[in-house]
Each structure stands twice: as structure tokens, then as C-alpha cells.
């Protein structure tokens, strides 16, 4: 891809996300997400391998289905309320479909199947883009409609994402797949608290983005793609290996690292809402 084409692609990704975040109309939000999706496809398919082509196809199909679900949801809502406004999503059926479509866009369980495969089939830089920037627009939309979504749906999907993310990453040797399951687990925390404190959910996802970015950048710098590679990097750069280890502990929410702070606040909020069982499950 030429520099001019790359500039247009990255411009498309940026404008698409900003358009979705700043719109108050479902059609404009949908257009922003579509622009974002179409712009990232050339980046995923940039490595000329069968794996990259497969990852691009999987990403396109899942995002297209999620977009179709978004349109269906907003159209049903317009029939009921006569308004395209994002804040006017009152119909229960529409709200449920919309919540599922946004979860599919983000890669939260139970519609997470595409995320580990897509990340494994692409480069580390693209994996970074998918796990961080691509989540901002759907999380913003979920934040805007969080008052209308039934808490049961959010909590169920959140707990399931935590379980899938936690168990799925155990048996992995590929770092990109591990980071994908880490992303699913973190989304579980974000979605669970979205039902009770949307501002805390935003804080959690942005803390995750800040922690994940340097991990991917260091892995790119050291060209490490498997745990085996990572275990031998201390011979070349001990500082970077130690930094990755500490950042990974932080991402997993281990005290006294930064990643523990949002999780502690989320657990505190769940307990104060008299949801002690849910807090215990989350731990």
C-alpha cells in the first residue's frame, strides 16, 4: 500500500470513529461505523498471506452482520417512536438487538469467536488497532444507550466474557491470541459495570487501552509472537522484558498495579449496589 493510500485509510478509521462518537442520530452513527470498518480492511489484509485474507473475511462478515443488526434495531425503534435519535431507543426488542450488535462489534462473549482468529491472522500493529481504537466507537454508543438496556443482558454478557476471557487465555502459546482473550475479559468488566455506572465503564476501557498499547508496541519492537519468543528476549533487552511482564500483570488487574484500580472500583460499586454474588463471580 502506498503512503497516500495509507493516509486515506487511517483518515477513514479516525473520521469513522469520531463521526460515530459525535453523532446523535442512528444513521450517522451507522455510517461512521461502516466507514471505520471499510477503512481497516486493507490494513488487516496487508500481509499477503492466506491467514491474513481469512482474518479479513472473518472481520468483514462479523462486522457486516453487526451493522445489519444495528440498522434493524434502529429501524424498528423508528417505527415505534418516530425518532432516529440515539437517546430515544425505548423499544425493548430494539434495545436488546442493539446491545447484541454492539457486543459483536467489540468482540464480547458470547459473540467473541472472531476476535482471537482475526488477531492471530494479522500483524501486531493491526492487532493493537483492533483491540484499542476499534472498541472506542461501540463502547461510546453502549454508554449512550446504557440507561435503556436491561441490566440482566449486560450483566449476563459481562460475566460470560470474564469467564471466556479468563479460561480461553490459559492454554495459549500465541501472544496475539492471549491478548485477544485478555481483551474479551476486560470487556466483561466494562459491560458488567455499564449497567450500574457507565462512567466507571469508560474509565475501565480507557485504562485498558493505555496499558495494552505499550505491550503491543514492545512486542512489535522485539518481534515476539509466541511465549517461547518472549521467554528468550531477556538476553537482548532485560528492561523491555521486565516492562512487558509488569504491564501484563497490570492488565490482569493484580494489586498494586494500575490495572487493579478500575477493577477495585467496579467491585466496590457492585457491592454497594447489593450485588455481592455478582462481585464474587467477577473475582
Amino acid at each position: 500500500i502506498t503512503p497516500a493510500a495509507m493516509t486515506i485509510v487511517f483518515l477513514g478509521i479516525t473520521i469513522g470513529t469520531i463521526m460515530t462518537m459525535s453523532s446523535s442520530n442512528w444513521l450517522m452513527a451507522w455510517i461512521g461505523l461502516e466507514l471505520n470498518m471499510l477503512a481497516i480492511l486493507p490494513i488487516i489484509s496487508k500481509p499477503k498471506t492466506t491467514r491474513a485474507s481469512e482474518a479479513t473475511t472473518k472481520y468483514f462478515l462479523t462486522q457486516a452482520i453487526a451493522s445489519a443488526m444495528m440498522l434493524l434495531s434502529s429501524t424498528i425503534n423508528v417505527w415505534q417512536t418516530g425518532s432516529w435519535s440515539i437517546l430515544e431507543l425505548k423499544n425493548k426488542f430494539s434495545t436488546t438487538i442493539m446491545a447484541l450488535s454492539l457486543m459483536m462489534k467489540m468482540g464480547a462473549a458470547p459473540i467473541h469467536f472472531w476476535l482471537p482468529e482475526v488477531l492471530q491472522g494479522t500483524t501486531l500493529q493491526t492487532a493493537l488497532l483492533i483491540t484499542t481504537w476499534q472498541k472506542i466507537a461501540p463502547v461510546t454508543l453502549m454508554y449512550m444507550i446504557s440507561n435503556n438496556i436491561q441490566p440482566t443482558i449486560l450483566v449476563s454478557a459481562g460475566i460470560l466474557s470474564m469467564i471466556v476471557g479468563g479460561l480461553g487465555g490459559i492454554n495459549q502459546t500465541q501472544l496475539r491470541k492471549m491478548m485477544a482473550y485478555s481483551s474479551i475479559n476486560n470487556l466483561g468488566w466494562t459491560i458488567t459495570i455499564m449497567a450500574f455506572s457507565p462512567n466507571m465503564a469508560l474509565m475501565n476501557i480507557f485504562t485498558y487501552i493505555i496499558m495494552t498499547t505499550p505491550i503491543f508496541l514492545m512486542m512489535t519492537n522485539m518481534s515476539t509472537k509466541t511465549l517461547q519468543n518472549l521467554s528468550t528476549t531477556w538476553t537482548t533487552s532485560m528492561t523491555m522484558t521486565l516492562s512487558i511482564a509488569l504491564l501484563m500483570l497490570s492488565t490482569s488487574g493484580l494489586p498494586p498495579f494500575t490495572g487493579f484500580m478500575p477493577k477495585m472500583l467496579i467491585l466496590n460499586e457492585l457491592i454497594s449496589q447489593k450485588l455481592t454474588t455478582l462481585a464474587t463471580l467477577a473475582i
Side-chain angles (χ1 to χ4, degrees):
I1 303 176
T2 61
M6 283 302 279
T7 308
I8 293 165
V9 163
F10 277 108
L11 209 61
I13 292 169
T14 313
I15 291 168
T17 301
I18 293 168
M19 190 188 287
T20 303
M21 288 171 72
S22 57
S23 62
S24 59
N25 182 298
W26 278 121
L27 272 180
M28 288 305 291
W30 175 78
I31 289 166
L33 285 169
E34 287 297 289
L35 178 63
N36 185 290
M37 176 191 75
L38 292 171
I40 202 172
L41 292 178
I43 298 177
I44 301 172
S45 62
K46 196 184 174 191
K48 296 290 176 277
T49 60
T50 317
R51 209 61 205 272
S53 306
E54 189 187 326
T56 312
T57 311
K58 282 178 180 172
Y59 186 84
F60 173 72
L61 288 174
T62 47
Q63 297 294 319
I65 292 164
S67 294
M69 284 167 70
M70 265 188 78
L71 266 186
L72 172 69
S73 167
S74 49
T75 308
I76 291 168
N77 189 62
V78 169
W79 280 340
Q80 296 285 321
T81 62
S83 170
W84 279 103
S85 171
I86 290 174
L87 301 173
E88 291 291 318
L89 196 70
K90 301 284 189 247
N91 185 285
K92 271 191 177 180
F93 179 70
S94 294
T95 314
T96 308
I97 299 274
M98 186 61 74
L100 286 170
S101 73
L102 292 174
M103 285 172 202
M104 196 172 188
K105 285 244 172 232
M106 288 186 267
I111 327 166
H112 66 283
F113 52 85
W114 61 272
L115 190 62
E117 296 301 317
V118 170
L119 255 60
Q120 187 56 34
T122 188
T123 61
L124 285 164
Q125 296 97 316
T126 313
L128 167 64
L129 200 61
I130 293 167
T131 49
T132 54
W133 182 261
Q134 292 299 94
K135 285 190 173 41
I136 296 173
V139 167
T140 308
L141 285 176
M142 192 173 267
Y143 173 83
M144 289 167 85
I145 63 165
S146 58
N147 291 336
N148 300 328
I149 307 173
Q150 290 166 286
T152 320
I153 295 165
L154 288 175
V155 169
S156 305
I159 293 292
L160 193 62
S161 294
M162 286 182 204
I163 295 165
V164 167
L167 297 178
I170 290 172
N171 205 27
Q172 298 299 331
T173 55
Q174 295 289 334
L175 289 175
R176 281 167 295 180
K177 278 196 175 179
M178 275 179 68
M179 293 306 290
Y181 283 110
S182 163
S183 170
I184 293 164
N185 179 274
N186 187 269
L187 276 173
W189 287 88
T190 306
I191 292 167
T192 304
I193 199 62
M194 190 72 82
F196 310 105
S197 176
N199 290 335
M200 208 173 282
L202 282 191
M203 183 194 69
N204 184 56
I205 197 79
F206 283 114
T207 308
Y208 169 77
I209 288 170
I210 289 162
M211 290 184 300
T212 305
T213 307
I215 294 177
F216 271 110
L217 291 175
M218 282 192 272
M219 287 197 303
T220 308
N221 191 26
M222 295 192 291
S223 301
T224 51
K225 290 179 181 176
T226 62
L227 275 175
Q228 194 177 0
N229 292 154
L230 198 62
S231 63
T232 56
T233 51
W234 68 272
T235 51
T236 51
S237 177
M238 191 177 275
T239 316
M240 213 170 266
T241 311
L242 188 65
S243 300
I244 284 188
L246 292 174
L247 276 164
M248 281 184 166
L249 288 172
S250 181
T251 313
S252 62
L254 198 78
F257 300 107
T258 313
F260 175 64
M261 180 193 64
K263 287 182 172 60
M264 184 184 69
L265 291 171
I266 288 168
L267 289 172
N268 183 49
E269 181 66 27
L270 290 174
I271 291 163
S272 67
Q273 294 273 357
K274 295 187 171 53
L275 295 161
T276 318
T277 317
L278 198 58
T280 315
L281 266 172
I283 294 165

mmCIF file of all heavy atoms in Angstrom, residues 139 143 146 186-187 189-208 260-273:
data_model
loop_
_atom_site.group_PDB
_atom_site.id
_atom_site.type_symbol
_atom_site.label_atom_id
_atom_site.label_comp_id
_atom_site.label_asym_id
_atom_site.label_seq_id
_atom_site.Cartn_x
_atom_site.Cartn_y
_atom_site.Cartn_z
ATOM 1 N N VAL A 139 -18.194 1.184 22.273
ATOM 2 C CA VAL A 139 -18.315 1.443 23.722
ATOM 3 C C VAL A 139 -19.023 2.776 23.960
ATOM 4 O O VAL A 139 -19.869 2.891 24.847
ATOM 5 C CB VAL A 139 -16.923 1.416 24.416
ATOM 6 C CG1 VAL A 139 -17.002 1.994 25.823
ATOM 7 C CG2 VAL A 139 -16.385 0.001 24.484
ATOM 8 N N TYR A 143 -22.486 3.299 25.913
ATOM 9 C CA TYR A 143 -22.536 4.267 27.017
ATOM 10 C C TYR A 143 -23.764 5.172 26.861
ATOM 11 O O TYR A 143 -24.456 5.469 27.833
ATOM 12 C CB TYR A 143 -21.247 5.094 27.003
ATOM 13 C CG TYR A 143 -21.214 6.245 27.982
ATOM 14 C CD1 TYR A 143 -20.871 6.038 29.313
ATOM 15 C CD2 TYR A 143 -21.508 7.548 27.573
ATOM 16 C CE1 TYR A 143 -20.819 7.092 30.216
ATOM 17 C CE2 TYR A 143 -21.467 8.606 28.461
ATOM 18 C CZ TYR A 143 -21.123 8.372 29.784
ATOM 19 O OH TYR A 143 -21.094 9.426 30.672
ATOM 20 N N SER A 146 -26.919 3.088 27.623
ATOM 21 C CA SER A 146 -26.826 2.199 28.797
ATOM 22 C C SER A 146 -28.049 2.275 29.721
ATOM 23 O O SER A 146 -28.417 1.287 30.340
ATOM 24 C CB SER A 146 -25.560 2.493 29.589
ATOM 25 O OG SER A 146 -25.546 3.848 29.990
ATOM 26 N N ASN A 186 -11.491 -8.121 29.695
ATOM 27 C CA ASN A 186 -11.623 -6.729 30.105
ATOM 28 C C ASN A 186 -12.967 -6.142 29.681
ATOM 29 O O ASN A 186 -13.581 -5.372 30.431
ATOM 30 C CB ASN A 186 -10.486 -5.901 29.519
ATOM 31 C CG ASN A 186 -10.491 -4.500 30.066
ATOM 32 O OD1 ASN A 186 -11.102 -3.611 29.494
ATOM 33 N ND2 ASN A 186 -9.833 -4.290 31.190
ATOM 34 N N LEU A 187 -13.422 -6.542 28.486
ATOM 35 C CA LEU A 187 -14.748 -6.091 28.027
ATOM 36 C C LEU A 187 -15.843 -6.583 28.962
ATOM 37 O O LEU A 187 -16.851 -5.917 29.163
ATOM 38 C CB LEU A 187 -15.018 -6.600 26.603
ATOM 39 C CG LEU A 187 -14.445 -5.758 25.471
ATOM 40 C CD1 LEU A 187 -14.634 -6.471 24.147
ATOM 41 C CD2 LEU A 187 -15.099 -4.389 25.414
ATOM 42 N N TRP A 189 -15.658 -6.900 32.235
ATOM 43 C CA TRP A 189 -15.720 -5.937 33.349
ATOM 44 C C TRP A 189 -16.431 -4.658 32.912
ATOM 45 O O TRP A 189 -17.273 -4.125 33.634
ATOM 46 C CB TRP A 189 -14.302 -5.599 33.826
ATOM 47 C CG TRP A 189 -13.642 -6.688 34.593
ATOM 48 C CD1 TRP A 189 -12.902 -7.714 34.076
ATOM 49 C CD2 TRP A 189 -13.657 -6.886 36.015
ATOM 50 N NE1 TRP A 189 -12.456 -8.535 35.082
ATOM 51 C CE2 TRP A 189 -12.897 -8.046 36.288
ATOM 52 C CE3 TRP A 189 -14.233 -6.197 37.078
ATOM 53 C CZ2 TRP A 189 -12.695 -8.534 37.579
ATOM 54 C CZ3 TRP A 189 -14.029 -6.676 38.364
ATOM 55 C CH2 TRP A 189 -13.280 -7.828 38.608
ATOM 56 N N THR A 190 -16.087 -4.180 31.715
ATOM 57 C CA THR A 190 -16.663 -2.931 31.198
ATOM 58 C C THR A 190 -18.171 -3.054 31.024
ATOM 59 O O THR A 190 -18.927 -2.178 31.445
ATOM 60 C CB THR A 190 -16.012 -2.558 29.843
ATOM 61 O OG1 THR A 190 -14.594 -2.527 30.017
ATOM 62 C CG2 THR A 190 -16.496 -1.220 29.336
ATOM 63 N N ILE A 191 -18.622 -4.160 30.414
ATOM 64 C CA ILE A 191 -20.050 -4.358 30.140
ATOM 65 C C ILE A 191 -20.837 -4.562 31.438
ATOM 66 O O ILE A 191 -21.940 -4.042 31.594
ATOM 67 C CB ILE A 191 -20.259 -5.539 29.158
ATOM 68 C CG1 ILE A 191 -19.716 -5.175 27.777
ATOM 69 C CG2 ILE A 191 -21.734 -5.916 29.043
ATOM 70 C CD1 ILE A 191 -19.573 -6.343 26.835
ATOM 71 N N THR A 192 -20.250 -5.311 32.385
ATOM 72 C CA THR A 192 -20.950 -5.570 33.646
ATOM 73 C C THR A 192 -21.263 -4.274 34.386
ATOM 74 O O THR A 192 -22.381 -4.050 34.845
ATOM 75 C CB THR A 192 -20.113 -6.502 34.559
ATOM 76 O OG1 THR A 192 -19.829 -7.700 33.844
ATOM 77 C CG2 THR A 192 -20.855 -6.858 35.836
ATOM 78 N N ILE A 193 -20.260 -3.401 34.495
ATOM 79 C CA ILE A 193 -20.456 -2.162 35.264
ATOM 80 C C ILE A 193 -21.223 -1.109 34.454
ATOM 81 O O ILE A 193 -21.766 -0.159 35.018
ATOM 82 C CB ILE A 193 -19.099 -1.611 35.784
ATOM 83 C CG1 ILE A 193 -19.316 -0.628 36.948
ATOM 84 C CG2 ILE A 193 -18.286 -0.986 34.687
ATOM 85 C CD1 ILE A 193 -19.967 -1.212 38.175
ATOM 86 N N MET A 194 -21.301 -1.303 33.127
ATOM 87 C CA MET A 194 -22.050 -0.371 32.270
ATOM 88 C C MET A 194 -23.508 -0.255 32.721
ATOM 89 O O MET A 194 -24.136 0.788 32.572
ATOM 90 C CB MET A 194 -21.987 -0.857 30.819
ATOM 91 C CG MET A 194 -22.520 0.119 29.796
ATOM 92 S SD MET A 194 -21.478 1.541 29.513
ATOM 93 C CE MET A 194 -20.277 0.918 28.359
ATOM 94 N N ALA A 195 -24.048 -1.343 33.297
ATOM 95 C CA ALA A 195 -25.446 -1.351 33.731
ATOM 96 C C ALA A 195 -25.668 -0.477 34.967
ATOM 97 O O ALA A 195 -26.782 0.001 35.209
ATOM 98 C CB ALA A 195 -25.877 -2.785 34.034
ATOM 99 N N PHE A 196 -24.612 -0.266 35.764
ATOM 100 C CA PHE A 196 -24.792 0.444 37.039
ATOM 101 C C PHE A 196 -24.048 1.772 37.109
ATOM 102 O O PHE A 196 -24.512 2.704 37.751
ATOM 103 C CB PHE A 196 -24.331 -0.461 38.203
ATOM 104 C CG PHE A 196 -24.933 -1.838 38.134
ATOM 105 C CD1 PHE A 196 -24.169 -2.924 37.722
ATOM 106 C CD2 PHE A 196 -26.271 -2.039 38.443
ATOM 107 C CE1 PHE A 196 -24.735 -4.198 37.632
ATOM 108 C CE2 PHE A 196 -26.833 -3.299 38.352
ATOM 109 C CZ PHE A 196 -26.064 -4.384 37.947
ATOM 110 N N SER A 197 -22.881 1.843 36.461
ATOM 111 C CA SER A 197 -22.108 3.092 36.481
ATOM 112 C C SER A 197 -21.365 3.251 35.150
ATOM 113 O O SER A 197 -20.210 2.830 35.016
ATOM 114 C CB SER A 197 -21.120 3.071 37.654
ATOM 115 O OG SER A 197 -20.317 4.228 37.626
ATOM 116 N N PRO A 198 -22.033 3.833 34.136
ATOM 117 C CA PRO A 198 -21.420 3.956 32.796
ATOM 118 C C PRO A 198 -20.087 4.708 32.802
ATOM 119 O O PRO A 198 -19.184 4.378 32.030
ATOM 120 C CB PRO A 198 -22.478 4.715 31.991
ATOM 121 C CG PRO A 198 -23.761 4.483 32.716
ATOM 122 C CD PRO A 198 -23.405 4.368 34.157
ATOM 123 N N ASN A 199 -19.949 5.717 33.675
ATOM 124 C CA ASN A 199 -18.695 6.489 33.718
ATOM 125 C C ASN A 199 -17.518 5.607 34.140
ATOM 126 O O ASN A 199 -16.404 5.744 33.626
ATOM 127 C CB ASN A 199 -18.817 7.677 34.693
ATOM 128 C CG ASN A 199 -19.757 8.736 34.144
ATOM 129 O OD1 ASN A 199 -19.954 8.836 32.940
ATOM 130 N ND2 ASN A 199 -20.354 9.515 35.018
ATOM 131 N N MET A 200 -17.795 4.685 35.071
ATOM 132 C CA MET A 200 -16.760 3.765 35.536
ATOM 133 C C MET A 200 -16.363 2.802 34.409
ATOM 134 O O MET A 200 -15.210 2.416 34.288
ATOM 135 C CB MET A 200 -17.268 2.996 36.750
ATOM 136 C CG MET A 200 -16.175 2.546 37.685
ATOM 137 S SD MET A 200 -16.850 1.831 39.165
ATOM 138 C CE MET A 200 -17.316 3.281 40.071
ATOM 139 N N ALA A 201 -17.341 2.431 33.595
ATOM 140 C CA ALA A 201 -17.077 1.540 32.450
ATOM 141 C C ALA A 201 -16.121 2.218 31.472
ATOM 142 O O ALA A 201 -15.187 1.591 30.966
ATOM 143 C CB ALA A 201 -18.380 1.180 31.761
ATOM 144 N N LEU A 202 -16.340 3.519 31.220
ATOM 145 C CA LEU A 202 -15.450 4.267 30.324
ATOM 146 C C LEU A 202 -14.050 4.344 30.897
ATOM 147 O O LEU A 202 -13.065 4.175 30.184
ATOM 148 C CB LEU A 202 -15.981 5.698 30.108
ATOM 149 C CG LEU A 202 -17.142 5.896 29.135
ATOM 150 C CD1 LEU A 202 -17.333 7.373 28.856
ATOM 151 C CD2 LEU A 202 -16.941 5.169 27.815
ATOM 152 N N MET A 203 -13.959 4.602 32.211
ATOM 153 C CA MET A 203 -12.650 4.675 32.865
ATOM 154 C C MET A 203 -11.909 3.340 32.724
ATOM 155 O O MET A 203 -10.716 3.303 32.437
ATOM 156 C CB MET A 203 -12.822 5.018 34.340
ATOM 157 C CG MET A 203 -11.502 5.184 35.065
ATOM 158 S SD MET A 203 -11.665 5.176 36.846
ATOM 159 C CE MET A 203 -12.115 3.485 37.157
ATOM 160 N N ASN A 204 -12.651 2.235 32.875
ATOM 161 C CA ASN A 204 -12.046 0.904 32.785
ATOM 162 C C ASN A 204 -11.497 0.630 31.386
ATOM 163 O O ASN A 204 -10.368 0.166 31.232
ATOM 164 C CB ASN A 204 -13.090 -0.159 33.162
ATOM 165 C CG ASN A 204 -12.491 -1.547 33.174
ATOM 166 O OD1 ASN A 204 -11.523 -1.820 33.857
ATOM 167 N ND2 ASN A 204 -13.050 -2.435 32.370
ATOM 168 N N ILE A 205 -12.286 0.944 30.358
ATOM 169 C CA ILE A 205 -11.850 0.648 28.982
ATOM 170 C C ILE A 205 -10.663 1.532 28.586
ATOM 171 O O ILE A 205 -9.731 1.078 27.922
ATOM 172 C CB ILE A 205 -13.021 0.756 27.955
ATOM 173 C CG1 ILE A 205 -12.665 0.057 26.636
ATOM 174 C CG2 ILE A 205 -13.450 2.170 27.677
ATOM 175 C CD1 ILE A 205 -12.793 -1.430 26.648
ATOM 176 N N PHE A 206 -10.653 2.783 29.033
ATOM 177 C CA PHE A 206 -9.526 3.656 28.678
ATOM 178 C C PHE A 206 -8.254 3.294 29.438
ATOM 179 O O PHE A 206 -7.157 3.403 28.904
ATOM 180 C CB PHE A 206 -9.899 5.134 28.855
ATOM 181 C CG PHE A 206 -10.755 5.644 27.724
ATOM 182 C CD1 PHE A 206 -12.077 6.030 27.929
ATOM 183 C CD2 PHE A 206 -10.260 5.706 26.429
ATOM 184 C CE1 PHE A 206 -12.872 6.463 26.869
ATOM 185 C CE2 PHE A 206 -11.042 6.135 25.358
ATOM 186 C CZ PHE A 206 -12.351 6.524 25.580
ATOM 187 N N THR A 207 -8.417 2.806 30.675
ATOM 188 C CA THR A 207 -7.249 2.313 31.424
ATOM 189 C C THR A 207 -6.660 1.112 30.698
ATOM 190 O O THR A 207 -5.444 0.979 30.550
ATOM 191 C CB THR A 207 -7.651 1.910 32.868
ATOM 192 O OG1 THR A 207 -8.340 2.987 33.468
ATOM 193 C CG2 THR A 207 -6.430 1.562 33.712
ATOM 194 N N TYR A 208 -7.542 0.234 30.210
ATOM 195 C CA TYR A 208 -7.108 -0.952 29.468
ATOM 196 C C TYR A 208 -6.350 -0.561 28.198
ATOM 197 O O TYR A 208 -5.299 -1.123 27.890
ATOM 198 C CB TYR A 208 -8.326 -1.822 29.111
ATOM 199 C CG TYR A 208 -8.001 -2.920 28.124
ATOM 200 C CD1 TYR A 208 -7.340 -4.073 28.521
ATOM 201 C CD2 TYR A 208 -8.347 -2.799 26.773
ATOM 202 C CE1 TYR A 208 -7.012 -5.063 27.613
ATOM 203 C CE2 TYR A 208 -8.028 -3.779 25.856
ATOM 204 C CZ TYR A 208 -7.367 -4.914 26.288
ATOM 205 O OH TYR A 208 -7.034 -5.887 25.376
ATOM 206 N N PHE A 260 -5.378 -2.700 38.630
ATOM 207 C CA PHE A 260 -6.207 -3.136 39.757
ATOM 208 C C PHE A 260 -7.207 -2.055 40.171
ATOM 209 O O PHE A 260 -8.286 -2.366 40.654
ATOM 210 C CB PHE A 260 -5.297 -3.492 40.950
ATOM 211 C CG PHE A 260 -6.048 -3.854 42.210
ATOM 212 C CD1 PHE A 260 -6.871 -4.974 42.258
ATOM 213 C CD2 PHE A 260 -5.944 -3.062 43.352
ATOM 214 C CE1 PHE A 260 -7.569 -5.307 43.423
ATOM 215 C CE2 PHE A 260 -6.629 -3.383 44.509
ATOM 216 C CZ PHE A 260 -7.447 -4.510 44.551
ATOM 217 N N MET A 261 -6.848 -0.784 39.930
ATOM 218 C CA MET A 261 -7.689 0.336 40.385
ATOM 219 C C MET A 261 -9.114 0.285 39.821
ATOM 220 O O MET A 261 -10.081 0.274 40.596
ATOM 221 C CB MET A 261 -7.018 1.663 40.043
ATOM 222 C CG MET A 261 -7.818 2.883 40.484
ATOM 223 S SD MET A 261 -7.216 4.408 39.748
ATOM 224 C CE MET A 261 -7.509 4.157 38.006
ATOM 225 N N PRO A 262 -9.301 0.237 38.467
ATOM 226 C CA PRO A 262 -10.684 0.190 37.963
ATOM 227 C C PRO A 262 -11.440 -1.050 38.431
ATOM 228 O O PRO A 262 -12.633 -0.976 38.732
ATOM 229 C CB PRO A 262 -10.543 0.198 36.440
ATOM 230 C CG PRO A 262 -9.126 -0.100 36.158
ATOM 231 C CD PRO A 262 -8.342 0.284 37.359
ATOM 232 N N LYS A 263 -10.745 -2.196 38.529
ATOM 233 C CA LYS A 263 -11.412 -3.432 38.965
ATOM 234 C C LYS A 263 -11.872 -3.316 40.413
ATOM 235 O O LYS A 263 -12.962 -3.763 40.775
ATOM 236 C CB LYS A 263 -10.480 -4.627 38.774
ATOM 237 C CG LYS A 263 -10.316 -4.993 37.300
ATOM 238 C CD LYS A 263 -9.437 -6.189 37.103
ATOM 239 C CE LYS A 263 -9.437 -6.654 35.659
ATOM 240 N NZ LYS A 263 -8.979 -5.698 34.684
ATOM 241 N N MET A 264 -11.046 -2.692 41.260
ATOM 242 C CA MET A 264 -11.407 -2.488 42.662
ATOM 243 C C MET A 264 -12.625 -1.575 42.766
ATOM 244 O O MET A 264 -13.563 -1.843 43.522
ATOM 245 C CB MET A 264 -10.233 -1.879 43.425
ATOM 246 C CG MET A 264 -10.483 -1.711 44.915
ATOM 247 S SD MET A 264 -9.111 -0.892 45.742
ATOM 248 C CE MET A 264 -9.237 0.765 45.062
ATOM 249 N N LEU A 265 -12.632 -0.507 41.968
ATOM 250 C CA LEU A 265 -13.766 0.430 41.969
ATOM 251 C C LEU A 265 -15.039 -0.248 41.466
ATOM 252 O O LEU A 265 -16.132 -0.010 41.989
ATOM 253 C CB LEU A 265 -13.442 1.656 41.109
ATOM 254 C CG LEU A 265 -12.363 2.601 41.653
ATOM 255 C CD1 LEU A 265 -11.983 3.633 40.618
ATOM 256 C CD2 LEU A 265 -12.831 3.296 42.931
ATOM 257 N N ILE A 266 -14.894 -1.103 40.439
ATOM 258 C CA ILE A 266 -16.056 -1.832 39.898
ATOM 259 C C ILE A 266 -16.622 -2.775 40.961
ATOM 260 O O ILE A 266 -17.837 -2.815 41.189
ATOM 261 C CB ILE A 266 -15.669 -2.599 38.606
ATOM 262 C CG1 ILE A 266 -15.458 -1.615 37.453
ATOM 263 C CG2 ILE A 266 -16.743 -3.628 38.223
ATOM 264 C CD1 ILE A 266 -14.812 -2.202 36.221
ATOM 265 N N LEU A 267 -15.750 -3.534 41.630
ATOM 266 C CA LEU A 267 -16.197 -4.451 42.689
ATOM 267 C C LEU A 267 -16.873 -3.685 43.819
ATOM 268 O O LEU A 267 -17.911 -4.101 44.345
ATOM 269 C CB LEU A 267 -15.011 -5.254 43.240
ATOM 270 C CG LEU A 267 -14.422 -6.323 42.308
ATOM 271 C CD1 LEU A 267 -13.155 -6.891 42.889
ATOM 272 C CD2 LEU A 267 -15.425 -7.440 42.041
ATOM 273 N N ASN A 268 -16.306 -2.531 44.167
ATOM 274 C CA ASN A 268 -16.882 -1.684 45.214
ATOM 275 C C ASN A 268 -18.290 -1.228 44.837
ATOM 276 O O ASN A 268 -19.211 -1.249 45.660
ATOM 277 C CB ASN A 268 -15.960 -0.484 45.453
ATOM 278 C CG ASN A 268 -16.459 0.397 46.585
ATOM 279 O OD1 ASN A 268 -16.777 -0.087 47.672
ATOM 280 N ND2 ASN A 268 -16.555 1.687 46.323
ATOM 281 N N GLU A 269 -18.444 -0.830 43.552
ATOM 282 C CA GLU A 269 -19.750 -0.373 43.058
ATOM 283 C C GLU A 269 -20.765 -1.513 43.063
ATOM 284 O O GLU A 269 -21.913 -1.336 43.460
ATOM 285 C CB GLU A 269 -19.578 0.191 41.637
ATOM 286 C CG GLU A 269 -20.851 0.734 41.013
ATOM 287 C CD GLU A 269 -21.435 1.956 41.692
ATOM 288 O OE1 GLU A 269 -20.671 2.716 42.322
ATOM 289 O OE2 GLU A 269 -22.666 2.133 41.607
ATOM 290 N N LEU A 270 -20.335 -2.711 42.642
ATOM 291 C CA LEU A 270 -21.238 -3.873 42.625
ATOM 292 C C LEU A 270 -21.696 -4.231 44.041
ATOM 293 O O LEU A 270 -22.862 -4.546 44.266
ATOM 294 C CB LEU A 270 -20.548 -5.082 41.981
ATOM 295 C CG LEU A 270 -20.290 -5.016 40.472
ATOM 296 C CD1 LEU A 270 -19.484 -6.203 40.014
ATOM 297 C CD2 LEU A 270 -21.585 -4.934 39.680
ATOM 298 N N ILE A 271 -20.767 -4.158 45.008
ATOM 299 C CA ILE A 271 -21.123 -4.470 46.404
ATOM 300 C C ILE A 271 -22.065 -3.405 46.964
ATOM 301 O O ILE A 271 -23.038 -3.722 47.648
ATOM 302 C CB ILE A 271 -19.847 -4.617 47.270
ATOM 303 C CG1 ILE A 271 -19.091 -5.881 46.845
ATOM 304 C CG2 ILE A 271 -20.191 -4.696 48.764
ATOM 305 C CD1 ILE A 271 -17.661 -5.944 47.303
ATOM 306 N N SER A 272 -21.810 -2.135 46.630
ATOM 307 C CA SER A 272 -22.682 -1.056 47.126
ATOM 308 C C SER A 272 -24.081 -1.128 46.509
ATOM 309 O O SER A 272 -25.045 -0.625 47.076
ATOM 310 C CB SER A 272 -22.059 0.311 46.855
ATOM 311 O OG SER A 272 -22.027 0.561 45.468
ATOM 312 N N GLN A 273 -24.188 -1.797 45.326
ATOM 313 C CA GLN A 273 -25.499 -1.994 44.692
ATOM 314 C C GLN A 273 -26.170 -3.272 45.207
ATOM 315 O O GLN A 273 -27.153 -3.736 44.650
ATOM 316 C CB GLN A 273 -25.329 -2.112 43.164
ATOM 317 C CG GLN A 273 -24.842 -0.858 42.484
ATOM 318 C CD GLN A 273 -25.947 0.092 42.110
ATOM 319 O OE1 GLN A 273 -27.122 -0.190 42.306
ATOM 320 N NE2 GLN A 273 -25.584 1.252 41.598
#
